[in-house]
Amino acid sequence: MSVLVVGSVALDSIETPFGKVERVVGGSATYFTSAASLYAKVNLVGVVGEDFPRDSIAFLQERGADLRGLQMVPGRTFHWQGRYDFDLNTAHTLDTQLNVFATFHPELPQEYRKPRIVFLANIDPDLQMEVLDQVEGAQLSVLDTMNFWITSKKDSLLKVISRVNVVAMNEAEARQLVGSYSLLRAAREILSLGPDVLIVKKGEYGAVMFTESGYFVAPAYPLETVKDPTGAGDSFAGGFIGYLAEQGVGEHLNMRRAMIHGSVVASFAVEDFSIERLRRLTRADIQARYREFQNITYFEALGSD
Ligand code: AMP
């Protein structure tokens, strides 16, 4: 089952306590595609400028991604500059340059218009809506966003949220969106906007899935070395959605397994800068770490006493 994604394809300049990189490949759609393409065919919608490295395009194509929806236009690629301090859960945005995204409007190839799964990765909510308006019959639509858009385009964002099944955001953003300190209350309010499922990402503390009837917690994998948390959220989405694309959306248990796949893939993504670790990642690596997740979360039922 193929997956349609729209999101940023970027060059990032990032500083963490463990190193600094300038204008490396990033972007929500890039991380997502690098991860999800290990499970399913990904059709990518986005835009890059002339400065985007050709070898990264070649890598995504080798992974089987369809890039007919990725426009290449004169100008500079979207650029994000961020810094993390020792609290790696909080990204400090130093600069956002939309560049070629400022005038971009998605024009979906005919073959992209009836996807089973759509992922609206973090990008201008007006662009997310333009993509949603061009597709029909999707079984699952998932939206991710960030504080930048909650602050600058909240009305547009609320409109797209009301049209998707699943919303994913980090903890601070969920609270910010509805102005509630209690995460449970924030989750209830976000679900009342329309989606059936809310996934709250808690960085090194894992991720939580909220539905009308329940709550499921996936831990994060305990890592000794984290180099760069950028892209963890999009890689999580790649594992989560990739697994559902492969196994089917309908099964309740698949959603839980998908949460673990998301956590597993995100745990690899942060081990190196940019998409480097995802480039080398294999399904065998994922399988092995999935089993370790089972071990660290297993506990027995109460005895009869
Ligand atoms: P995350 O998974 O949240 O760490 O996403 C990281 C990626 O988001 C980076 O590679 C950035 O290029 C990208 N990004 C940062 N700010 C924005 C924005 N305002 N819109 C879209 N993408 C962004």
Side-chain angles (χ1 to χ4, degrees):
M1 191 186 288
S2 64
V3 179
L4 173 68
V5 59
V6 59
S8 55
V9 181
L11 292 175
D12 293 340
S13 297
I14 292 160
E15 200 177 332
T16 80
F18 315 106
K20 193 174 169 179
V21 287
E22 293 275 336
R23 302 183 72 76
V24 294
V25 168
S28 54
T30 316
Y31 278 103
F32 174 82
T33 305
S34 305
S37 58
L38 286 165
Y39 299 81
K41 177 146 185 299
V42 179
N43 296 335
L44 193 157
V45 174
V47 64
V48 291
E50 292 146 324
D51 52 355
F52 195 75
R54 298 292 181 270
D55 71 311
S56 300
I57 297 207
F59 157 70
L60 295 173
Q61 281 168 332
E62 277 158 28
R63 277 283 180 82
D66 184 328
L67 303 187
R68 276 175 295 173
L70 178 66
Q71 296 178 23
M72 266 176 239
V73 301
R76 285 163 78 83
T77 299
F78 177 98
H79 180 244
W80 180 70
Q81 190 180 353
R83 192 193 79 233
Y84 301 83
D85 298 326
F86 270 102
D87 169 14
L88 292 171
N89 291 332
T90 310
H92 302 281
T93 294
L94 305 177
D95 192 23
T96 302
Q97 291 171 12
L98 294 180
N99 296 335
V100 291
F101 260 106
T103 51
F104 168 72
H105 291 284
E107 183 59 45
L108 268 57
Q110 210 53 44
E111 301 79 5
Y112 284 25
R113 290 179 184 234
K114 288 189 176 162
R116 304 289 283 279
I117 304 184
V118 184
F119 180 48
L120 306 173
N122 177 28
I123 195 60
D124 186 333
D126 288 331
L127 295 179
Q128 294 178 321
M129 189 65 106
E130 284 180 34
V131 166
L132 218 45
D133 283 341
Q134 292 178 51
V135 301
E136 59 177 85
Q139 241 179 317
L140 183 75
S141 49
V142 183
L143 171 143
D144 192 356
T145 191
M146 74 182 289
N147 49 11
F148 185 87
W149 303 112
I150 298 174
T151 309
S152 62
K153 289 219 171 171
K154 188 163 170 183
D155 288 347
S156 301
L157 181 59
L158 292 176
K159 277 193 202 128
V160 213
I161 287 178
S162 74
R163 286 185 52 186
V164 297
N165 314 116
V166 181
V167 171
M169 54 180 72
N170 75 29
E171 191 173 7
E173 288 154 0
R175 290 199 171 99
Q176 182 191 352
L177 182 68
V178 291
S180 165
Y181 179 75
S182 155
L183 193 57
L184 262 183
R185 205 170 296 155
R188 206 174 308 128
E189 279 195 47
I190 293 170
L191 291 178
S192 77
L193 298 171
D196 307 313
V197 179
L198 169 70
I199 295 171
V200 176
K201 296 168 286 179
K202 290 159 148 297
E204 65 179 304
Y205 305 110
V208 184
M209 178 166 65
F210 295 89
T211 59
E212 273 297 312
S213 58
Y215 184 93
F216 176 71
V217 186
Y221 185 75
L223 284 172
E224 205 153 312
T225 313
V226 175
K227 277 197 188 155
D228 175 14
T230 309
D234 310 304
S235 309
F236 178 95
F240 178 82
I241 292 174
Y243 180 75
L244 290 175
E246 188 185 66
Q247 300 292 325
V249 173
E251 282 284 321
H252 169 68
L253 276 180
N254 279 351
M255 292 288 272
R256 290 185 170 216
R257 292 190 196 110
M259 286 284 289
I260 303 299
H261 274 269
S263 300
V264 167
V265 177
S267 75
F268 283 111
V270 302
E271 287 181 348
D272 208 340
F273 283 93
S274 184
I275 54 169
E276 287 314 310
R277 186 64 185 92
L278 294 178
R279 274 180 191 257
R280 306 189 301 271
L281 191 61
T282 64
R283 284 301 292 268
D285 297 332
I286 294 175
Q287 221 74 335
R289 198 167 279 184
Y290 187 99
R291 290 204 187 89
E292 290 182 56
F293 258 80
Q294 263 190 309
N295 283 335
I296 61 172
T297 53
Y298 176 80
F299 59 92
E300 286 163 14
L302 279 177
S304 51
D305 48 327

